[in-house]
Amino acid sequence: MFDVMSFGQFHRVEPVVRPSGTGGRLDDALAARVADPLFLLARQWQVAEFAGEDGGSPVWCTLSTESTPLGSFRPSADGTAVPLPKGVPLEFLAEAGAAPGEGARQLTLRAAARAGGRFLATLRTVNLPDGVLDDIDEAVLAKAPLPGPGSDPEQDPLRRDPAGRALREVLAGRAPDGAALAGHLADGWRPPGLTGPQRTAFDKAADLWLAWFREQYQPPVTSSWARERLEHRFAVTAAPGGRTVTLTAPEYTGGAADTYHFELDTGGGALPAPAGGTPVGVLPTRVTYPGMPAERWWEFEDATVNLPRIDAGVTDLARLLVVEFANVYGNDHWIVPVELATSALHRIASLTVVDTFEETTVIEPADDDHWSVFRLTDAATGAPAPPLLPLLPTASARLEGAPVEEVLFARDEMANLGFAIERIVQSATGRPRVRADEPPDDEPQVPPADPAALAYRLLTPVPPHWIPLVPVPLKEDSAAICLRRGQIPRFRADGTRLPQVKAAGRVLEPEVKRVFFRDEEVPRSGVTVSRVPVVARGEDGRIYQWVGRRVRAGRGEASSALAFDGAVPPKGS
């Protein structure tokens, strides 16, 4: 018997170089010399390398830019311009503005109670006696109580909001109305019977709370919402070269405020020549992208890219241009990185390029009256605007919640009306409330005494959250029309008229007496306007909260089944 022994063997492949006068080197093996130099010359002639005039590649750039800070923000076409705050997101200024006459944002019942409760908690931080605090609490609750149901149940704003009514019953007498309290404190109100030191402590707490309340709920500017157009309109200004120019956003529908939302209004005439700052040397970098053809002649292409498989017909001009760019000019594009400040308008004063042959070339702007890339549109002519690059103070890390209000604007061709359908409105609790779940308050139709007789109906019922949009002339003696927010009458069984059900959300603005919408803004496909809560962080790290509006496509036409003066057969016949 014997043990079988195993041995492991390892092999390594190494290049064997013939010894030379230096003792053997890899230079000759790695050189891959070609015996016939005419072969390489023929290959250069085949790829038209001898005819190239731009054989040099950029190796160094000298760049000079002019930066002009953005000066002011104008919330609407006829609004008052205000200085643009440093670090404040542009979306916050565009979407968080208040309507004319509003001193604070519209607060829900829950938000108003929380703000009032915060004031009562702030009073506990200024060293007031417990008995005095109890007296102040009673005085504050009496001065700024939460709104109650009122004497007429039909006029109760929460009569269709059961969750809001329950919350109101719980909070009644326990928390003051923060919005009303802010107005009283701003006017200098104090509870009666306080001594001098107690008044000083109360004023200190009031100042601390008012500063918080204004920062939290005070609108930054007036509203930029154009109700008739269902869009935001605002502008920012700058003065490059001492000449005031305006960046206007005529159709901003919410979300991220990108550069393409803006048009440039130079006021007519050419801008002054840019006064460049200190030239900066920059190392250029070649542009690359996934699927880019290989630059070297003998280099294999990426296995995931198959250019010969690209099919292009006679009309596929854009696809052919992309393929030609990738194969012919793909390696002719370079990136010149440069650091620029935000909240400013930039333009290039000079650009000098040094190539591999040590030739210096001054790059001029490529001007064309009919076609341009990465340029704004001139607001007056529609042509490409001067080469200005705006870096706007947009929000970073923006988060959006579920809509708290949603209105669908649709057309009903059978009724020859438009309808603003309030699908979701904000409850007094702050949460979304579906209006289709509201209990109906119409009295049922009284059937006729004769079971075989037809029941007369003046008009068919329409859900109360379907607000009609009635076509009216845009101007006197004009064929153009606009859509006016209307009302559908409601009647009891005996023919007496019921109180009118109004809009409940902020989009339709029920507090405004007459509301109009442009006819062309409500197409047959419809349009949806929603209000969503937004949280974003500014450049300075501060957190901003607001409720913004979003506009998107609708869901087509709608049918309300509205009909007048009809005879309805009895049920079961």
Side-chain angles (χ1 to χ4, degrees):
M1 299 295 293
F2 61 91
D3 295 334
V4 178
M5 301 179 65
S6 60
F7 298 89
Q9 298 180 356
F10 301 92
H11 298 274
R12 184 172 64 182
V13 180
E14 296 183 352
V16 179
V17 183
R18 296 180 180 180
S20 62
T22 59
R25 299 175 59 184
L26 295 176
D27 296 350
D28 295 339
L30 297 178
R33 296 179 180 177
V34 178
D36 188 2
L38 292 177
F39 172 78
L40 294 181
L41 294 176
R43 299 298 288 177
Q44 288 181 289
W45 170 81
Q46 184 180 11
V47 297
E49 189 172 335
F50 297 143
E53 298 179 357
D54 54 351
S57 298
V59 294
W60 190 253
C61 295
T62 303
L63 182 66
S64 177
T65 60
E66 179 193 64
S67 300
T68 306
L70 299 177
S72 62
F73 175 87
R74 191 177 67 229
S76 59
D78 54 352
T80 303
V82 297
L84 187 64
K86 181 64 177 178
V88 178
L90 192 60
E91 297 91 342
F92 175 70
L93 297 175
E95 299 178 3
E102 288 184 358
R105 299 180 200 168
Q106 291 282 344
L107 301 184
T108 62
L109 181 66
R110 182 186 296 272
R114 282 182 173 179
R118 185 184 180 96
F119 174 73
L120 299 182
T122 306
L123 289 173
R124 269 67 183 172
T125 64
V126 293
N127 298 324
L128 287 171
D130 293 340
V132 175
L133 288 175
D134 294 338
D135 295 339
I136 293 177
D137 291 347
E138 293 181 3
V140 169
L141 290 172
K143 185 66 176 180
L146 291 173
S151 57
D152 186 3
E154 292 291 340
Q155 302 298 327
D156 185 5
L158 301 182
R159 65 189 183 94
R160 294 178 176 272
D161 186 1
R165 293 198 306 271
L167 180 64
R168 183 176 58 189
E169 293 178 2
V170 172
L171 296 177
R174 292 182 173 89
D177 187 349
L181 180 61
H184 296 316
L185 294 179
D187 295 337
W189 175 83
R190 298 189 191 97
L194 298 179
T195 64
Q198 292 173 357
R199 287 197 300 268
T200 302
F202 180 86
D203 292 343
K204 180 181 178 181
D207 293 339
L208 291 174
W209 182 81
L210 281 175
W212 167 84
F213 184 85
R214 288 165 180 166
E215 181 181 0
Q216 191 77 13
Y217 298 110
Q218 188 73 24
V221 292
T222 58
S223 177
S224 65
W225 177 252
R227 179 206 308 140
E228 293 186 355
R229 295 292 185 181
L230 298 178
E231 62 199 13
H232 294 276
R233 291 187 173 185
F234 61 94
V236 292
T237 62
R243 174 89 167 273
T244 301
V245 299
T246 305
L247 293 171
T248 62
E251 298 180 3
Y252 174 68
T253 57
D258 293 317
T259 305
Y260 60 81
H261 287 115
F262 292 84
E263 297 178 353
L264 184 62
D265 185 3
T266 59
L271 293 177
T278 303
V280 179
V282 184
L283 186 66
T285 306
R286 190 183 296 273
V287 175
T288 59
Y289 53 89
M292 182 176 179
E295 300 177 9
R296 297 170 55 188
W297 180 263
W298 295 106
E299 184 179 353
F300 287 100
E301 306 286 351
D302 189 351
T304 60
V305 179
N306 190 357
L307 296 178
R309 289 285 299 174
I310 297 178
D311 297 329
V314 179
T315 58
D316 293 337
L317 180 59
R319 185 177 300 183
L320 293 175
L321 289 175
V322 172
V323 174
E324 182 180 8
F325 164 79
N327 286 276
V328 181
Y329 307 104
N331 59 349
D332 292 340
H333 287 72
W334 298 74
I335 297 177
V336 181
V338 59
E339 294 185 2
L340 300 174
T342 58
S343 300
L345 197 61
H346 306 275
R347 56 177 174 169
I348 297 176
S350 63
L351 176 60
T352 304
V353 179
V354 180
D355 60 18
T356 52
F357 297 107
E358 298 185 2
E359 293 185 0
T360 302
T361 305
V362 178
I363 306 299
E364 300 291 341
D367 292 328
D368 192 286
D369 295 336
H370 305 286
W371 187 82
S372 64
V373 178
F374 303 120
R375 283 200 185 184
L376 299 175
T377 301
D378 190 284
T381 63
L388 296 173
L389 174 64
L391 290 184
L392 305 172
T394 56
S396 60
R398 185 180 69 254
L399 298 177
E400 296 186 0
V404 296
E405 183 177 349
E406 184 175 282
V407 180
L408 173 61
F409 291 82
R411 289 185 178 272
D412 185 354
E413 296 296 341
M414 296 302 297
N416 197 21
L417 290 174
F419 280 93
I421 307 172
E422 284 190 324
R423 301 181 65 249
I424 299 174
V425 295
Q426 191 172 18
S427 170
T429 61
R431 299 176 180 176
R433 174 171 63 90
V434 180
R435 289 211 64 186
D437 296 341
E438 296 177 357
D441 54 0
D442 295 342
E443 296 183 7
Q445 189 77 18
V446 179
D450 186 2
L454 298 178
Y456 173 75
R457 181 170 293 176
L458 179 63
L459 75 163
T460 56
V462 176
H465 62 283
W466 284 52
I467 311 300
L469 304 177
V470 184
V472 296
L474 181 61
K475 297 179 181 179
E476 188 176 356
D477 299 331
S478 174
I481 63 171
C482 63
L483 301 177
R484 188 189 69 187
R485 187 197 63 198
Q487 298 177 349
I488 294 181
R490 302 164 58 246
F491 299 92
R492 292 189 175 90
D494 57 1
T496 59
R497 189 160 182 169
L498 290 170
Q500 186 60 47
V501 178
K502 298 182 180 180
R506 299 292 307 148
V507 174
L508 296 180
E509 303 183 31
E511 71 280 356
V512 181
K513 185 176 181 180
R514 292 179 176 270
V515 174
F516 297 89
F517 303 96
R518 288 300 183 101
D519 178 62
E520 61 270 18
E521 299 298 335
V522 185
R524 296 188 65 178
S525 59
V527 63
T528 302
V529 181
S530 58
R531 296 174 62 243
V532 298
V534 185
V535 177
R537 190 180 295 275
E539 296 179 356
D540 55 355
R542 177 185 169 189
I543 296 178
Y544 296 86
Q545 303 178 18
W546 72 94
V547 178
R549 306 194 183 202
R550 302 290 180 266
V551 182
R552 64 182 189 274
R555 302 181 179 180
E557 297 183 6
S559 177
S560 62
L562 177 63
F564 297 91
D565 195 17
V568 182
K571 294 182 179 181
S573 60

